[in-house]
């Protein structure tokens, strides 16, 4: 009879909490956006499924061996954990979970070892998260694949546009400062690390956001990743009003000089030049930019096509599947359903807007200073969100002048924005390292 | 006090951050420009006189070249379906 | 001169045991079946090679660091292990190995750590097994890939056939009960966990069998996996006599109503509906069914084709290679050459037969009750073994009536059988959890 | 005693197991039926009037479209062989 | 202000050492060879990028958690490490690093655990190295892929050529003895293990070299891998002079009997025959030859084409990327910029030359003894370096007689060389095991 | 003394190494020869009478087979570009 009770206790209905139900609705919302609206489905669909899974009551797919042990409720097990965590003998299960989640690295690992040695197993999503995100490997491999898909040609033809990619990073740092000010004013409640992790959304670059969030504020990773990918999908809605508000019709009609052709040698040496600059100036950006340049070098060298092909296909696809599910691990109701998420959604949007504006204004400044005309509309592409932002520049440009194709011109700042936000990420790692 | 410190730290991060980003990308502008100039000076790419990469297929009928390509495509397709 | 003796002691001839020789013959038998007879070669070929490797005397490809340390025979090393395992100072090497293999999770891990810290290395197959099967990850990834290859269309067009997939699971549970009765009668010697792991063979689903066996009875995993895949390959021989014995010629001639077309929206929502039901009713089935539905959603959503393609090809193939070799790890002579294996072979066959019969009888019952005619031959497809069982239904149907194509009708119960055995697996995990 | 217990546990597992399997799949039958009805009511799939997905290739000669496809196939094939 | 100082201290310029700068030049040299000269780019390009990354000052991409902790300079952290490593309280950071790098396996692992428990993270390259090379898995998977690409047809048509593959292994063992003699003469300074690892370069087989070096002399792995791949690329320059010096024009003109066709059954059974021989004679070669034969069996059986395809493409490419980067981990300046590297370069070249000569001389001997004529030029292909060495045989043959195509004849000894060096590797593992 | 020992160990490794390599590969020569003889005796491969593997495509026009192949190639190509 006991097993019948076990079985009932094992059903989800017996245990579902409102938070979990809400998170399931959030997951369905993401699925709707991914499938029906085409919002970055490659990430949002796995994230949504991961969110569904982690919120199945009692399934424990997001539990570590330690959490599974504590939640088992077994008196002997609990006693050992109370000892390890230094809690009073009457500490509640929730108190133990809290102590475990906020333990130092050493204690956290001891708890994991204890749980495993008592025969408990970590859930699938926890395992995926540990291997892909906590280790930092998955974002790096995605960066490698993206590097192998990136063409630096337009950027090399007009290297000045790197500055547009620099300016747009003000979306990141301005937002960090804004979050700090709002916290100071008592309107939000972020540490500096958290503010930095939120600001990186303005980099409009998914893997960079996940990489930084996993290092500086893993407790916010779910919301940050979802916000980053959602806003990247919303670039065609977010950017045009800002672009139009900051430019005159005449500016939007500016025709740019045709881009020169770029030689193979330049394309091969460019990623190496970035690597050398990283080595000399900002070693903390070495993992992200190193893998990015490695991917690009594999592509441009032309001598390792089979590796480049795998990096762009089987490997990046595999990593994307696991990365998405793993982000889902951070979408538990207690991590997501709180004020921070709301603040992240607001600040993330602000970051995108500020970045867009900074890019456009920088382009206007450069247009005023340099010889060759620069259409300010390509400035917005500096936020990255490759290639969506460049397409937006092109589209808004065509509205002003149906003969003016800005796509190629905008691809320069667009890929510059990827470099720019990786540099910004390096600064953060170095700042908090 | 703690809050002031948070604000000042945030300001510092913003200034340093944008500073490093601009320094890095500005140096990259110069390095890139220098590199391109150098490359195009010492090893200008010789443009092939736009020779047709592959001679155009004869205008009518299914030529042998075509058949080869097709059989390759078929083979690949089958290999995939297994 | 010592090294010459080393070398001779290192040859296999000096050490081969009859058990290992027999297991090599078993491996060659599997290779013959895989290559010449086409028995599920994707799994049986790697399993056979793994079996060969693990039985190479002295190669230690299936040894953990702890086993390698103990087998080293070094006095100082043995002393440390005797201490750890709590054995008398005169305990034999075999006694130590036995104590190690039957140690609790905590002690087992301490032994591994001790072996590694003394500089011993785990063999390749042990490593593969730990990463792919002991972690539970490989069967889940295969389920994801299978999900991405599955078309629920026929099932959605005739959802009643889900009941056929339910009935066929009696092959699982009936066999469990049979094994328990035979143990009670003293004819076999299984624990309830072992009986459950053996019964799951009746699910006719390889990854599910491996998943459950690795959790409930890892010591039987090798025999269970081989039996499961072998009988799946034998479906065309096992099922027809049973199907014919249980049906009349008139029944076998029954024509079924043409299946309606199923819309894309239904196909997208169906895997989500399963997931929600899992969340509400049977969270312990969440890993298996979750990954299955995730794979299917990737396919049907149509927005992540590159992920779906990788899940169906590079990823599932890679996992299959490692899974097969890892099953081989469990095909050591002492694990395989004993009475249990014989019992597993007999019970596995019974499970298949019972499942087939249950499916056919359920179809007859449904035919008697429902409006639309149901050909009982599609009931046997409820055991899963996709798509072999459905083809068998079709073939036997054509024998009775050369104009009657049952293939599509049988695909419904066929994929229902996959869901059914995953649910059965969830029940077992919950029952023993 | 222990053996009786084993048998009774086995019986329990069988009954619960088949019970849950049937409950689960029966509910799935209803959920699926309900879902299909709902979907076909609120969002019936509009069947396209079977327009030829791609206009048929001109009936004779090797047209440019064909050549493009072929060159793509060739390129891919070559890329693979490297 | 402190963070500004942090940032400056974090730049590479502030820290770069001449060794690191030189290693970067070495990396650029490798890139030049890989991209411009086509030297084994699949490996040398990733190795070069790994070398660049590991030598970025301050980036710590090759640091383990323990090394990161020690280099942090934190007094409390250092105290704990001094305790663990048994050093005096005034031991310098360098002394601690040295003690850590030369610690026993047990102590080394404890140091890693301590570093991780203090919250330090291992660098990306260290992680890749641990997972791919230190575990021994990557070379094995590459061997599997190579097996799946190998055609034993020419070897089966003329099995005597196996002896050429045997003779060429004298390049390995002769070099080992030479290195020992030179050490005895005080000209070099190798242990026997190191000499063996250097000698394996003569096997002209990259994965085998890495596998053995990782087991016998990981401190030399970087130089050994680079030397092995470089000389494999240089085979067309190294071999012809030796081949011509050791043969007469008449010998080079010898026409060989047309190879018979080999049946599918022979091709299927051959890898199994190797496996059985391995099991009986040399279990220590089981991992390398086992995976090689497994790959070949997947290919030749024809029943698991999707697995064979993945082994040859997505899987081997992925492993190659990580293997290359991981070799880079061993290309730090202190590991590479020393006398050993120079000695390795010299001895590696000698090994190639000796192996080539031994192969040619063996072919001359066989030609004198056997009935069917053997062109001595195919003997040089016994060093492996598939298929480059066979092409060299063909080319030199065509110079002597433009009608004499030796390519297929040379493919026999060429693949025999792969088996031969794997056997040699097994001997070494057994010798030092 | 230690050095002598190193040299003698090196010699030992060389002799054993070459010995085992030759023994192994020589045995493989015999095993292979034996296997081949056996196979060709008990199960000689029946050579098909060199029938054209695939019937040659009709000599003119774009036949349906061709179109099928092409559409497969196109589909694949498109799938890849997504
Ligand atoms: Na960006
Ligand atoms: Na089933
Ligand atoms: Na070799």
């Amino acid at each position: 009879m006991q097993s019948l009770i076990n079985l009932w206790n094992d059903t989800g209905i017996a245990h579902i909490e409102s938070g979990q139900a809400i998170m399931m609705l959030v997951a369905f919302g993401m699925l709707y956006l991914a499938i029906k609206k085409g919002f970055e489905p490659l990430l949002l669909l796995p994230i949504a499924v991961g969110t569904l899974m982690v919120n199945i009551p009692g399934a424990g797919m997001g539990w570590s061996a330690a959490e599974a042990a504590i939640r088992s409720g077994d008196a002997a097990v609990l006693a050992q954990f109370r000892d390890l965590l230094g809690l009073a003998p009457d500490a509640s299960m929730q108190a133990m979970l809290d102590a475990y989640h906020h333990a130092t690295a050493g204690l956290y690992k001891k708890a994991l070892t204890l749980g495993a040695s008592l025969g408990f197993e970590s859930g699938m999503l926890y395992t995926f998260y540990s291997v892909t995100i906590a280790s930092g490997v998955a974002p790096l491999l995605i960066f490698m694949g993206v590097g192998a898909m990136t063409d630096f040609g337009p950027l090399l033809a007009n290297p000045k546009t790197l500055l547009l990619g620099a300016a747009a990073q003000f979306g990141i740092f301005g937002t960090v400062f804004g979050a700090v000010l709002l916290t100071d004013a008592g309107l939000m409640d972020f540490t500096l690390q958290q503010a930095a992790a939120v600001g990186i959304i303005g980099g409009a670059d998914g893997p960079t956001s996940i990489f930084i969030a996993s290092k500086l504020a893993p407790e916010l990773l779910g919301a940050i990743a979802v916000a980053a990918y959602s806003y990247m999908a919303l670039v065609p809605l977010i950017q045009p009003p800002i672009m139009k508000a900051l430019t005159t019709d005449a500016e939007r009609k500016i025709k740019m000089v045709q881009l020169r052709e770029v030689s193979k040698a330049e394309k091969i040496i460019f990623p190496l030049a970035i690597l050398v600059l990283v080595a000399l100036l900002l070693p903390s950006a070495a993992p992200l930019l190193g893998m990015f340049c490695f991917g690009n070098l594999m592509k441009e060298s032309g001598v390792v096509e089979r590796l480049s092909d795998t990096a762009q296909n089987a490997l990046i696809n595999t990593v994307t599947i696991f990365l998405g599910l793993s982000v889902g691990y951070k979408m538990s109701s207690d991590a997501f359903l709180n004020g921070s998420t709301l603040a992240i959604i607001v600040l993330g949007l602000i970051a995108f807007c500020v970045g867009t504006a900074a890019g456009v204004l920088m382009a206007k400044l450069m247009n005023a200073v340099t010889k060759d005309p620069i259409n300010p509309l390509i400035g917005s592409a500096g936020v990255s969100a490759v290639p969506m932002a460049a397409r937006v520049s092109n589209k808004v440009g065509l509205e002003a002048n149906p003969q003016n194709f800005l796509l190629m011109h905008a691809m320069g700042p667009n890929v510059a924005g990827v470099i720019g936000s990786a540099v910004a990420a390096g600064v953060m790692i170095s700042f908090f390292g | 006090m703690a809050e002031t410190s948070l604000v000042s730290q945030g300001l510092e991060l913003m200034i340093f951050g944008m500073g490093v980003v601009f320094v890095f990308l500005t140096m990259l502008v110069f390095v890139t420009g220098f590199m391109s100039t150098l490359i195009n000076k010492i090893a200008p790419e010789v443009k092939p006189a736009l020779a047709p990469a592959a001679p155009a297929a004869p205008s009518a009928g299914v030529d042998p070249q075509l058949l080869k390509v097709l059989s390759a495509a078929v083979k690949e397709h089958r290999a995939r379906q297994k």
Side-chain angles (χ1 to χ4, degrees), chain A, chain B:
Chain A
M1 221 47 219
Q2 186 51 40
S3 52
L4 190 56
I5 297 167
N6 275 355
L7 205 70
W8 165 250
N9 280 337
D10 269 13
T11 64
I13 304 178
H15 287 283
I16 198 158
E17 299 156 14
S18 59
Q20 293 171 324
I22 295 173
M23 285 314 293
M24 290 202 176
L25 292 181
V26 170
F28 284 116
M30 284 193 277
L31 285 174
Y32 177 81
L33 294 177
I35 298 174
K36 267 291 196 182
K37 298 288 172 188
F39 271 34
E40 298 278 338
L42 292 172
L43 263 294
L44 280 194
L45 192 144
I47 291 177
V49 174
T51 303
L52 271 179
M53 286 178 175
V54 87
N55 284 290
I56 294 180
M61 294 187 72
W63 296 349
S64 66
E67 185 160 355
I70 295 173
R71 285 186 189 272
S72 76
D74 183 278
V77 168
L78 289 182
Q80 293 195 48
F81 274 91
R82 268 193 214 100
D83 262 19
L84 179 71
L85 296 168
L87 297 177
D90 60 346
S92 70
M93 189 186 290
Q94 193 54 49
M96 294 172 68
L97 287 174
D98 288 347
Y100 159 69
H101 282 301
H102 298 96
T104 61
L107 191 52
Y108 187 85
K109 263 167 218 183
K110 277 184 193 148
L112 286 182
T113 308
L114 177 57
S117 78
L118 293 168
F120 292 90
E121 283 171 20
S122 294
M124 185 188 79
L125 292 177
Y126 178 84
T127 304
F128 287 175
Y129 181 84
S130 306
V131 173
T132 60
I133 297 186
S135 70
V137 165
L140 296 179
L141 295 183
I142 291 192
F143 241 62
M144 178 176 75
V146 171
M149 295 177 194
T150 297
D151 178 10
F152 280 126
L155 181 63
L156 284 164
N158 193 2
K160 286 193 310 291
T161 55
L162 276 162
L163 297 179
L164 299 174
Q169 306 317 317
F170 190 66
I172 295 178
F173 292 106
T175 304
V176 174
F177 189 56
V180 160
L181 284 182
L182 289 169
T183 296
D184 190 49
L187 295 172
M188 288 179 178
D189 183 24
F190 286 121
T191 64
L192 191 60
Q193 272 92 333
Q194 289 177 327
V198 174
I200 202 80
I201 298 175
D205 192 279
T208 303
S209 299
I210 292 172
F211 189 74
I212 287 298
S214 74
K215 294 202 177 299
L216 300 185
E219 66 279 8
L220 303 181
L221 191 145
I224 288 174
V226 170
Y229 283 105
S230 299
Y231 288 134
M232 279 160 70
L234 284 172
V235 151
L237 293 181
I238 296 172
Q239 290 196 321
I242 299 168
M243 293 158 74
K244 287 177 191 162
L246 293 177
T247 52
T248 64
D249 194 55
E251 283 172 334
R252 291 198 289 277
K253 283 190 170 131
I254 292 176
K255 280 217 173 189
M256 293 182 66
V257 182
Q258 167 105 37
L259 291 175
R260 71 173 175 90
E261 278 208 29
V262 172
S263 71
K264 204 186 152 216
E266 288 171 82
K267 288 189 177 181
I268 292 175
I269 292 176
F270 184 66
L272 295 171
I274 297 179
L275 257 179
V276 169
L277 266 186
V278 164
L280 295 180
L281 293 182
L282 195 63
S284 53
L288 274 176
L289 280 176
M291 291 306 270
F292 187 67
C293 292
F294 176 44
N296 191 249
L297 184 63
M298 286 200 284
K299 176 195 169 215
E300 299 296 355
S301 70
V303 291
V304 291
E305 268 179 55
R306 52 183 297 160
L307 302 188
S308 165
D309 179 63
T310 294
Q312 287 176 54
N313 293 291
L315 188 50
I316 199 174
N317 293 343
T318 303
V319 174
T320 301
I321 290 173
F322 290 112
L323 182 75
L325 291 175
S326 300
V327 169
Y329 161 68
K330 286 288 182 193
M331 298 287 283
S332 60
S333 55
D334 37 330
F336 194 85
L337 295 179
N338 56 42
S340 297
T341 299
L342 223 68
I344 288 169
I345 289 171
V346 173
L347 288 171
L349 179 58
I350 292 174
F352 263 71
C353 295
V354 171
T356 303
V360 173
L361 292 175
M362 184 70 185
K364 289 179 72 161
L365 176 65
M366 284 172 65
N367 192 38
V369 173
T370 61
K371 192 183 59 190
D372 291 334
I374 289 178
N375 188 317
L377 292 178
I378 71 168
S380 61
V383 298
S384 38
V386 185
M388 192 87 81
R391 282 193 202 139
V392 168
S393 296
N394 190 53
K395 188 157 162 282
V396 178
L398 287 177
E399 283 170 19
N401 175 355
Q403 249 66 53
N404 198 2
F405 294 93
L406 293 173
L407 188 64
M408 275 302 123
H409 296 286
M411 285 308 296
N414 212 189
V415 298
V418 177
I419 301 173
S421 44
V423 170
V427 172
M428 284 178 179
I429 292 171
S430 164
F431 194 87
F432 294 108
Chain B
M1 178 58 213
E3 277 112 34
T4 330
S5 158
L6 181 68
V7 171
S8 76
Q9 279 182 301
L11 189 67
E12 202 184 358
L13 176 54
M14 183 173 75
I15 294 171
F16 289 161
M18 286 310 292
V20 173
V21 167
F22 264 102
V23 168
F24 192 96
L25 293 185
T26 306
M27 289 199 60
L28 196 52
V29 173
F30 287 113
V31 169
T32 306
F34 176 71
M35 169 197 86
S36 291
T37 317
L38 204 71
I39 287 174
N40 291 324
K41 216 173 251 169
I42 60 171
E45 201 157 67
V46 183
K47 274 281 154 54
L50 260 180
S59 56
V62 176
D63 73 334
Q65 182 68 15
L66 189 65
L67 280 172
K68 246 164 94 184
V69 167
L70 286 173
S71 66
V74 177
K75 230 170 109 186
E76 233 223 272
H77 187 69
R78 276 190 195 144
R80 248 145 215 282
Q81 271 172 318
K82 269 177 213 168

